[in-house]
């Protein structure tokens, strides 16, 4: 009886204490949510701090289960304040939680979870919280619940990824190996996925599904995003979810095998939509390397639709326009082997239907004829003929390079320094890449003739940069320098440089030049000519994996000549670039051609590696190491075996190649494993060259424009080793090429003041790579120009630093100030650009390889074409910024003229002053409204030199020298026009209305129907708002006449146009007055 009484008294005391706590005026517990405990402003914690949980803990030792359950219930209310006291009884509470016969086991589990949570043991807390069953509510918003949910997801993600990787290595199904995952976690994750979809947070659901390697959950999230009950439930939500999933596939997918599987699911989801986004599908197929899939897509788009298309002025069907846009994007992706495979497949597919229906009658025959025409145009685009012509026209017509900058460099450098002399020639090649303008070379032939030996080789190779893409006249342009059949060579250096230049001209389009280059290689006996021929063959046949070409290059390599062998190794690497077998690809995805290329690449790598150990020439070993690295491009895990072999080799030269191979194999993936390996070698290798290459390769591995690069190399930039500091500078330049990064520029500014000359050289080059394509309105650009000018004009500056400054001048104004550097676009890596940068970095050992950077320059242009691939002149774009923000840099000629005027200038003849006065009077007489109208018209019409009036940023000015008006907050860009990377987000597409009114109409994808009703003629086919590159337009009024941009692009055309411009200018000059009649002068006596 006393024992029963004691228990009843304790139970009554506990009940009264609980009631007292709940009604305390300072605040109490809020038990509205199960398993949760909240306090009002922390006052209850203050109140309970003077209390003790000893009484409640004593009840847990009683034998009556009702007392234990009551104690657990009360402890759950006070555990957040008294957890330090409850923790002393954890063994007892854990025993209750594990007792299956105890009815309050779930409460005990939840109590243990809370105590372990406060102790910081989240893993134990999660385990006990999951054992609490329904008492643990994932929808609770408390910090305790959210922390455990995050831990739950983290545990599930790690388990799923480990299971998938293990299953992949064992070649078994990933789903079949998921038994090791705690089954209690999966329902929680499923509830979170469902909650994300129901709340309209599809991106979170997609990201979680990808992290968990749950492709079924990904499909469910995307499919249900169009059926949501909120504003996001629409077909546009599906498109947004698919875009997000595609971006996440390149940043969160991890291994290449899973990324390939994920991309295939995205292709299936895209094709399941009612309105298929063919552009997005084509980009995914490019990542998959599925040339046949892209070809089927293009062939289906140009297939006959059955409509009557017999009229010559009929509008090009919408699917055909989409096919043209896809073809242009494939060319801009710069993946030569893939593009060639697509072109071959398309040619095979479109010929068979045309041959089968050529005997048809009526509409079927007309449709077959139209399809044949569209297919031929499509093949012209895929061959590169059309896009290269458009690029050449843009670069030539918009060329804004300032020759006075080059003249200043030429006058400032010491003529006796062959290094700086060659750097000036290189800067000219960069500055005029693709413009076909070689005026500087023609005007300075005497100065150029000082080039001897390898400088002459490089100067001749510079012509290939200047005329890059001008494949139609390449042989004619280089005829004076190319090897002749009958002999009589003037200089082997000029001949070798000409063959190298021919390869630079035919990058990505080498089918027509490869036979001649191979013939020249076989006929060459001089090592210099063989050197240039090997480089030219490698560039022209990049990625083709032709067995015959490989045998020719291997034959040159086995001659054991240091000069020719180095180029042969690099040429083999270019020939087999990106053809190594890749992990995760299906065996039949690439067909027999890809299988043969992979087999050739595997055999070549073993042969080259063996010969690198046998040869005694370091140059040959280095050429082989670089060639092996080029083969690994994009292979990722497929290249791990070769990379491990190179990195563990005793030769520092081969380890150097291993660092470069690691960077190219994992280019742009941000692989943590690759970064860890590079950092390990950067701080532990005994060779400075290997350490420098390891740090430099970080710029390839990290995604383009990633701010992580500055954090990763920040400490390395302060290393005691100057080679490591140089590598840090180049890593920043590679990662942030063509993209303005303030953090990267701050690090480069520090390194530009380094005490070692080649570190300053690297900082100047890297900073130019970051700022190329950046508008002059950014204050860092003009300041950098002044710093470069100060460097190369300083007589006390060291030669290596001067060389870097001169090279930076050319890079900064690349392509007539119309080009930028880019390693990829829309998550599609550009193979040619990346390999060009990788080979450019080898200028450290061999200066002629610095010309490889020209292969990485891409025009920052918006070129709009209609269905007939012509450029409408009345199609314009609107930039939502002042004209001066993205204007061309001012040329030095105007400043020089002002300086002369300030100093007094030259004497002016009276006849010249009189003629100028007469012209001014005539202009005033014909002024008024007509002059004002003419001025307004000229402000938006492009001029010959590439300036676009107010669009070019020069501003309109009156004759008095005063600015006409304040700049408007927008400016119009004519077709074609320059659009720098930072300007793309501010450009909108517009078109002049048919009545010629000045009002503009927005024709974005969202209101294209309203725009068509407003009278707009042209609208872009692309619906993603992209404003850079070649844009295909749909024509709403094809029956009306069109105003097209006149095009003249060729070397001869450039000269003729310049001569015609000079003659026209001479004719426009006002004729001088007639001289007086002859008379005899008789002096006065």
């Amino acid at each position: 009886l006393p024992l029963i009484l004691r228990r009843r008294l304790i139970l009554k005391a506990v009940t009264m204490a609980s009631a007292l706590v709940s009604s305390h005026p300072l605040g109490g517990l809020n038990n509205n949510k199960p398993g949760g405990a909240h306090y009002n402003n922390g006052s209850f914690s203050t109140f309970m701090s003077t209390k003790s949980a000893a009484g409640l803990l004593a009840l847990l030792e009683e034998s009556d289960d009702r007392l234990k359950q009551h104690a657990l219930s009360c402890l759950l209310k006070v555990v957040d304040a008294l957890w330090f006291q409850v923790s002393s009884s954890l063994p007892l509470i854990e025993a209750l939680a594990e007792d299956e016969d105890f009815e309050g086991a779930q409460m005990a589990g939840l109590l243990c979870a809370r105590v372990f949570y406060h102790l910081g043991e989240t893993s134990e807390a999660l385990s006990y919280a999951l054992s609490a069953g329904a008492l643990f509510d994932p929808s609770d918003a408390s910090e305790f619940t959210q922390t455990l949910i995050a831990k739950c997801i983290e545990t599930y993600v790690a388990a799923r990824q480990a299971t998938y990787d293990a299953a992949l290595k064992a070649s078994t199904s990933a789903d079949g190996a998921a038994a090791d995952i705690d089954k209690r976690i999966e329902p929680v994750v499923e509830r979170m996925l469902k909650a994300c979809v129901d709340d309209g947070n599809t991106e979170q659901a997609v990201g979680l599904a990808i992290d968990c390697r749950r492709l079924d959950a990904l499909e469910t999230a995307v499919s249900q995003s169009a059926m949501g009950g909120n504003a996001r439930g629409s077909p546009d939500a599906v498109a947004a979810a698919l875009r997000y999933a595609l971006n996440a596939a390149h940043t969160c997918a991890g291994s290449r095998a899973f990324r390939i599987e994920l991309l295939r699911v995205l292709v299936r989801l895209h094709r399941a939509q009612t309105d298929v986004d063919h552009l997005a599908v084509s980009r995914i197929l490019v990542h998959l390397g599925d040339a046949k899939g892209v070809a089927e897509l293009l062939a289906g788009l140009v297939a006959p639709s059955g409509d009557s298309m017999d009229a010559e002025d009929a509008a090009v069907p919408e699917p055909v326009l989409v096919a043209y846009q896809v073809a242009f994007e494939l060319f801009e992706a710069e993946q030569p082997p893939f593009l060639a495979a697509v072109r071959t497949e398309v040619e095979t597919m479109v010929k068979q239907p045309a041959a089968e229906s050529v005997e048809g009658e009526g509409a079927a025959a007309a449709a077959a004829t139209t399809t044949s025409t569209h297919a031929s145009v499509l093949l012209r685009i895929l061959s590169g003929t059309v896009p290269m012509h458009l690029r050449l026209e843009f670069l030539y017509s918009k060329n804004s390079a300032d020759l006075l900058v080059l003249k200043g460099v030429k006058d400032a450098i010491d003529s006796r320094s062959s290094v700086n002399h060659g750097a000036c020639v290189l800067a000219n090649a960069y500055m005029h890449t693709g413009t076909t303008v070689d005026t500087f070379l023609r005007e300075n032939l005497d100065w150029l003739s000082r080039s001897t030996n390898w400088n002459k080789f490089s100067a001749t190779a510079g012509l290939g940069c200047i005329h890059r893409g001008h494949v139609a006249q390449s042989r004619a342009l280089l005829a004076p320098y190319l090897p002749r059949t009958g002999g009589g060579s003037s200089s082997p250096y000029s001949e070798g440089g000409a063959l190298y230049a021919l390869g630079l001209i035919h990058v990505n389009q080498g089918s027509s030049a490869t036979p001649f280059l191979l013939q020249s290689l076989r006929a060459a006996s001089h090592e210099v000519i063989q050197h240039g021929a090997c480089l030219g063959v490698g560039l022209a046949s990049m990625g083709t994996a032709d067995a015959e070409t490989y045998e020719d290059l291997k034959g040159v390599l086995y001659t054991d000549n240091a000069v020719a062998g180095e180029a042969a190794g690099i040429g083999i690497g270019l020939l087999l670039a990106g053809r190594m077998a890749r992990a995760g690809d299906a065996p039949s995805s690439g067909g027999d051609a890809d299988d043969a290329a992979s087999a050739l690449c595997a055999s070549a790598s073993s042969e080259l590696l063996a010969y690198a150990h046998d040869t005694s020439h370091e140059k040959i070993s280095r050429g082989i190491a670089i060639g092996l690295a080029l083969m690994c491009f994009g292979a990722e895990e497929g290249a791990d075996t070769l990379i491990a072999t190179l990195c563990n080799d005793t030769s520092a030269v081969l380890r150097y190649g291993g660092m470069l191979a690691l960077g190219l194999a994992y280019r742009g993936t941000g692989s943590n494993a690759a970064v860890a390996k590079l950092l390990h070698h950067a701080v532990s290798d005994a060779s400075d060259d290997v350490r420098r290459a390891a740090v430099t390769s970080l710029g390839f591995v990290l995604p383009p424009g990633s701010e992580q690069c500055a954090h990763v190399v920040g400490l390395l930039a302060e290393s005691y080793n100057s080679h490591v500091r140089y590598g840090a500078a180049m890593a920043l330049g590679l990662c942030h090429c063509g993209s303005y990064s303030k953090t990267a520029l701050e690090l480069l500014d520090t390194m530009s003041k380094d005490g070692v000359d080649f570190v300053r050289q690297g900082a100047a080059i890297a900073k130019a790579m970051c700022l190329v394509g950046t508008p002059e309105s950014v204050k860092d650009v003009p300041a950098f120009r002044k710093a470069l000018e100060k460097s190369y004009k300083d007589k006390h500056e060291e030669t290596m630093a001067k060389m870097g400054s001169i090279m930076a001048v050319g890079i900064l104004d690349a392509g007539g100030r119309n080009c930028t550097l880019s390693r990829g676009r829309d998550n599609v890596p550009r193979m040619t650009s990346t390999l060009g940068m990788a080979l450019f970095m080898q200028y450290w050992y061999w200066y002629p390889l610095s010309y490889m950077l020209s292969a990485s320059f891409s025009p920052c242009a918006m070129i709009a074409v209609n269905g007939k691939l012509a450029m409408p002149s009345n199609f314009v774009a609107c930039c939502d910024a002042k004209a001066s923000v993205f204007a061309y840099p001012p040329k030095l000629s105007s400043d020089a003229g002002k300086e002369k005027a300030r100093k007094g200038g030259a004497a002016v003849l009276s006849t010249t002053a009189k003629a100028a006065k007469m012209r001014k009077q005539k202009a005033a007489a014909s002024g008024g409204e007509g002059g004002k109208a003419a001025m307004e018209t000229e402000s938006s019409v492009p001029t010959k030199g590439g300036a676009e009036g107010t669009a070019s940023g020069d501003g309109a000015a009156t004759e008095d020298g005063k600015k006409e008006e304040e700049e408007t907050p927008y400016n119009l860009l004519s077709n074609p026009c320059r659009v720098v990377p930072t300007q793309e987000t501010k450009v909108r597409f517009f078109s002049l209305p048919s009545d010629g009114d000045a009002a503009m109409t927005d024709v974005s994808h969202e209101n294209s129907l309203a725009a068509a009703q407003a009278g707009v003629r042209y609208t872009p086919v692309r619906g993603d708002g992209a404003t850079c590159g070649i844009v295909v337009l749909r024509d709403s009024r094809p029956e009306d006449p069109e105003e097209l941009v006149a095009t003249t692009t060729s070397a001869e055309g450039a000269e003729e146009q310049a001569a015609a411009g000079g003659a026209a200018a001479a004719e426009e000059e006002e004729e001088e007055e007639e001289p007086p009649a002859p008379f005899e002068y008789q002096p006065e006596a």
Side-chain angles (χ1 to χ4, degrees):
L1 183 62
L3 181 61
I4 296 176
L5 256 193
R6 187 175 60 184
R7 288 181 178 176
R8 289 181 178 178
L9 290 174
I10 293 175
L11 182 61
K12 187 174 182 181
V14 169
T15 304
M16 294 177 61
S18 299
L20 179 62
V21 168
S22 300
S23 60
H24 195 274
L26 294 178
L29 291 169
N30 183 359
N31 299 321
N32 293 331
K33 296 185 178 180
H38 303 280
Y39 311 100
N40 295 329
N41 301 325
S43 56
F44 179 69
S45 300
T46 305
F47 173 75
M48 289 298 300
S49 63
T50 59
K51 305 299 179 181
S52 173
L56 296 175
L57 294 174
L59 290 179
L60 297 178
E61 299 178 357
E62 299 292 336
S63 59
D64 193 345
D65 289 347
R66 292 179 302 171
L67 291 176
K68 295 178 183 179
Q69 293 180 31
H70 184 78
L72 291 172
S73 176
C74 295
L75 286 172
L76 283 174
K77 300 176 183 178
V78 299
V79 65
D80 291 326
L82 302 177
W83 60 268
F84 50 89
Q85 296 183 11
V86 180
S87 62
S88 61
S89 301
L90 263 181
L92 178 60
I93 302 174
E94 288 180 281
L96 294 175
E98 296 172 1
D99 188 358
E100 297 180 357
D101 298 331
F102 179 53
E103 295 181 0
Q106 292 186 349
M107 286 192 296
L110 184 60
L111 181 61
C112 288
R114 286 191 172 276
V115 175
F116 278 116
Y117 163 72
H118 287 292
L119 291 173
E121 300 290 340
T122 53
S123 298
E124 295 290 335
L126 175 61
S127 177
Y128 281 109
L130 293 175
S131 67
L135 294 180
F136 177 67
D137 184 12
S139 62
D140 185 20
S142 64
E143 182 180 353
F144 163 74
T145 305
Q146 296 304 314
T147 302
L148 293 191
I149 289 294
K151 182 63 179 179
C152 179
I153 294 175
E154 180 184 346
T155 305
Y156 184 74
V157 167
R160 285 288 302 181
Q161 291 182 359
T163 301
Y164 185 91
D165 294 340
L168 183 64
K169 292 180 180 179
S171 299
T172 58
S173 173
D175 294 332
D180 295 339
I181 302 176
D182 192 342
K183 295 181 179 180
R184 300 174 301 174
I185 296 179
E186 193 162 0
V188 178
V189 177
E190 292 285 354
R191 292 175 63 179
M192 295 304 301
L193 287 169
K194 186 177 183 303
C196 291
V197 174
D198 294 342
D199 295 342
N201 299 321
T202 309
E203 291 83 358
Q204 296 181 9
V206 168
L208 181 57
I210 292 175
D211 282 340
C212 297
R213 306 295 188 262
R214 290 281 305 276
L215 298 180
D216 58 331
L218 171 66
E219 294 187 53
T220 303
V222 173
S223 301
Q224 294 182 356
S225 61
M227 300 181 293
N230 50 21
R232 300 192 181 191
S234 64
D236 290 340
V238 177
L242 289 173
R243 285 195 299 270
Y244 180 83
L246 180 58
N247 292 330
H250 301 286
T251 57
C252 307
S255 65
R256 175 179 172 81
F258 177 71
R259 182 163 63 251
I260 294 298
E261 191 176 351
L262 171 59
L263 292 176
R264 288 177 182 147
V265 172
L266 294 180
V267 171
R268 186 169 66 250
L269 290 173
H270 269 289
R271 289 175 173 170
Q273 304 304 315
T274 305
D275 186 10
V276 181
D277 188 352
H278 297 288
L279 294 171
V281 172
S282 66
R283 296 188 195 112
I284 300 175
L285 292 176
V286 170
H287 286 292
L288 292 172
D290 190 357
K292 187 175 182 180
V294 176
E296 291 174 350
L297 184 148
L298 293 174
L301 290 173
V302 298
S305 59
D307 299 334
S308 177
M309 291 178 273
D310 53 349
E312 294 182 359
D313 57 350
V316 179
E318 179 77 10
V320 177
L321 295 176
V322 175
Y324 292 169
Q325 185 67 70
V326 171
F328 281 123
E329 289 194 3
L330 289 175
F331 177 81
E332 293 174 349
E334 296 183 6
Q335 298 193 13
F338 183 81
L339 187 61
V342 172
R343 184 171 63 250
T344 302
E345 292 285 348
V346 170
E347 191 172 2
T348 303
M349 293 177 182
V350 298
K351 281 184 177 180
Q352 290 179 346
E356 294 174 358
S357 59
V358 71
E359 298 178 357
E361 297 181 0
T369 303
T370 306
T371 302
S372 177
T373 303
H374 294 156
S376 63
V377 174
L378 179 64
L379 290 173
R380 286 174 54 209
I381 299 174
L382 293 174
S383 66
T385 305
V386 175
M388 281 309 305
H389 173 74
L390 294 172
R391 284 187 172 187
L392 283 172
E393 172 60 29
F394 167 77
L395 292 174
Y396 169 68
S397 62
K398 301 296 183 181
N399 177 29
S400 186
D402 192 354
L403 294 181
L404 287 181
V405 174
L406 288 173
K407 185 178 182 299
V409 173
K410 180 180 73 70
D411 296 340
I413 61 177
D414 187 358
S415 59
R416 296 171 296 179
S417 175
S418 61
V419 174
N420 290 334
H421 183 280
C424 185
V425 177
L426 176 63
N428 171 66
Y430 288 160
M431 196 175 291
H432 294 94
T433 295
T435 62
T436 69
V437 177
D438 54 2
T439 307
F440 178 78
L441 300 179
R442 296 179 183 274
E443 292 179 352
N444 299 276
L445 291 177
D446 294 338
W447 174 80
L448 190 64
S449 62
R450 300 175 187 174
S451 301
T452 58
N453 299 336
W454 286 106
N455 262 4
K456 182 180 291 186
F457 177 93
S458 299
T460 310
L463 294 174
C465 301
I466 295 173
H467 297 281
R468 183 195 168 194
H470 198 187
V471 296
Q473 300 292 331
S474 59
R475 297 272 294 277
L477 289 167
L478 299 173
Y481 313 100
L482 289 171
R484 300 175 184 176
T485 307
S489 170
S490 59
S491 170
Y493 294 97
S494 295
E495 292 185 1
L499 294 174
Y500 183 18
L502 193 62
L504 290 171
I505 291 176
H506 286 266
V507 172
N508 293 342
Q509 300 179 80
S511 57
S512 60
T514 303
F516 174 78
L517 287 168
L518 286 175
Q519 180 184 355
S520 302
L521 177 62
R522 294 163 186 162
S525 58
H526 199 282
E527 61 180 7
V528 178
I529 300 178
Q530 289 178 332
H531 183 91
C534 288
L535 293 177
V537 168
L539 288 169
S541 58
M542 182 185 298
T544 58
D546 182 71
E548 182 180 357
T549 305
Y550 168 70
E551 292 298 329
D552 289 334
L553 292 172
K554 187 173 70 171
V556 176
L557 178 67
Y558 284 173
T559 60
D560 206 40
N561 182 284
V563 175
E566 180 184 28
I570 296 174
I572 292 174
L574 288 171
L575 177 70
L576 301 176
R579 304 313 296 266
M580 185 171 289
R582 306 183 180 188
D585 288 350
S588 60
S589 63
D592 297 337
D594 278 357
D595 295 340
S598 300
L600 177 62
C601 192
S603 62
S605 61
S606 59
E607 293 175 358
L608 293 179
L609 197 58
Y611 189 74
H613 289 100
D614 295 340
T615 184
S616 59
H617 296 287
E618 183 179 335
K619 286 178 70 68
I620 295 179
S621 297
R622 179 168 289 108
I624 290 175
I626 296 172
L628 291 173
L630 298 180
M631 293 182 197
C632 298
F633 176 82
E636 299 185 31
E637 293 89 349
D640 283 348
T641 303
L642 178 59
I643 291 173
T645 303
L646 293 172
C647 293
N648 296 327
D649 200 279
T650 57
S651 172
V653 176
L654 292 181
R655 294 202 306 275
Y656 176 93
M659 298 301 101
L660 184 59
L662 192 57
L664 293 178
Y666 290 91
R667 79 287 171 267
T669 61
S671 170
N672 292 331
V675 171
K677 290 180 183 178
L678 291 173
L679 290 175
H680 170 72
H681 285 276
V683 298
S684 63
D685 200 279
S687 171
D688 286 338
D689 289 347
V690 177
R691 300 178 71 177
R692 184 182 66 250
V695 181
T696 301
S697 296
L698 289 171
F700 287 115
V701 174
L702 296 174
S706 173
E707 292 298 332
Q708 295 178 356
C709 184
H711 299 293
V712 172
V713 304
L715 292 177
L716 297 175
E718 301 175 0
S719 172
Y720 71 92
N721 191 314
S722 56
H723 291 264
V724 173
R725 298 199 301 273
Y726 173 89
M730 301 312 292
L732 291 170
L734 290 170
C735 184
H736 295 282
C737 60
S739 60
Y740 180 82
S741 172
K742 191 67 176 177
T743 308
L745 292 177
E746 290 176 355
L747 289 174
L748 291 173
D749 285 338
T750 303
M751 285 185 278
S752 63
K753 303 171 185 177
D754 198 277
V756 181
D757 55 353
F758 64 80
V759 177
R760 297 199 300 274
Q761 178 194 74
I765 295 174
K767 195 170 183 180
M769 294 174 69
C770 294
L771 292 177
V772 60
T774 303
E776 204 74 8
S777 58
V778 178
K779 62 180 181 179
D780 293 319
V781 179
F784 183 51
R785 291 185 187 275
K786 292 180 181 179
L788 293 178
E789 183 179 5
K790 180 181 178 182
S791 175
Y792 65 71
K793 286 186 177 180
D794 188 358
K795 296 182 179 180
H796 303 288
E797 182 63 280
E798 298 179 3
T799 302
M800 288 294 98
K802 277 189 177 182
M803 177 187 174
S805 299
I806 296 171
M807 292 172 65
V809 168
I811 296 173
L812 204 57
D813 292 343
R817 295 174 173 172
N818 290 303
C819 282
T820 186
L821 287 170
S822 174
R823 287 168 45 206
R825 185 177 180 86
D826 296 329
N827 292 318
V828 178
R830 288 176 171 169
M831 174 178 170
T832 306
S833 297
T834 306
L835 296 184
M837 294 181 196
L839 289 173
F840 164 74
M841 293 298 161
Q842 312 313 313
Y843 84 91
W844 179 278
Y845 303 103
W846 194 235
Y847 287 162
L849 292 179
S850 57
Y851 288 88
M852 290 288 186
L853 188 63
S854 64
S856 304
F857 291 130
S858 59
C860 39
M862 187 207 69
I863 306 173
V865 297
N866 57 17
K868 299 176 183 178
L869 304 184
M871 294 182 287
S873 60
N874 62 332
F875 180 84
V876 297
C878 178
C879 178
D880 294 327
K882 293 182 179 180
S884 58
V885 174
F886 299 106
Y888 285 104
K891 292 190 176 182
L892 297 181
S893 55
S894 58
D895 296 338
K898 291 179 181 178
E899 186 176 356
K900 284 185 178 181
R902 189 165 53 249
K903 293 181 179 180
V908 181
L909 296 177
S910 59
T911 55
T912 305
K914 186 176 181 181
K917 184 177 180 180
M918 292 178 63
R919 285 196 299 270
K920 187 174 181 180
Q921 291 176 352
K922 288 182 180 180
S926 61
E929 297 180 359
K932 183 177 180 181
M935 186 176 299
E936 291 176 354
T937 304
E938 291 175 358
S939 65
S940 60
V941 176
T943 59
K944 185 64 187 172
E948 300 178 11
T950 55
S952 67
D954 295 336
T958 62
E959 292 183 355
D960 298 333
K962 297 180 181 179
K963 202 162 185 181
E964 187 179 359
E965 288 182 359
E966 187 179 354
E967 282 187 295
T968 58
Y970 67 91
N971 65 99
L972 304 182
L973 307 174
S974 60
N975 182 33
C977 62
R978 183 182 79 150
V979 178
V980 297
T982 54
Q983 188 180 4
E984 293 180 23
T985 57
K986 298 181 179 297
V987 175
R988 295 178 292 149
F989 287 119
F990 284 81
S991 179
L992 288 173
S994 57
D995 57 358
D997 190 7
M1000 297 291 114
T1001 308
D1002 190 354
V1003 292
S1004 59
H1005 179 68
E1006 290 77 7
N1007 58 354
S1008 58
L1009 179 60
Q1013 294 174 351
V1016 174
R1017 177 167 182 174
Y1018 300 105
T1019 55
V1021 171
R1022 297 185 61 166
D1024 55 1
T1027 57
C1028 191
I1030 301 177
V1031 181
V1032 180
L1033 306 174
R1034 62 174 69 90
D1035 189 355
S1036 60
R1037 295 192 298 274
E1039 67 281 356
D1040 294 348
E1042 292 185 283
E1043 298 179 6
L1044 303 178
V1045 177
T1047 59
T1048 54
T1049 305
S1050 66
E1052 295 81 7
E1055 296 176 1
E1056 293 175 2
Q1057 200 164 358
E1067 290 179 359
E1068 290 178 0
E1069 290 184 2
E1070 188 174 346
E1071 296 182 357
E1072 295 185 0
E1073 297 182 4
E1074 293 292 335
F1079 63 94
E1080 183 178 354
Y1081 174 71
Q1082 295 180 355
E1084 296 180 357

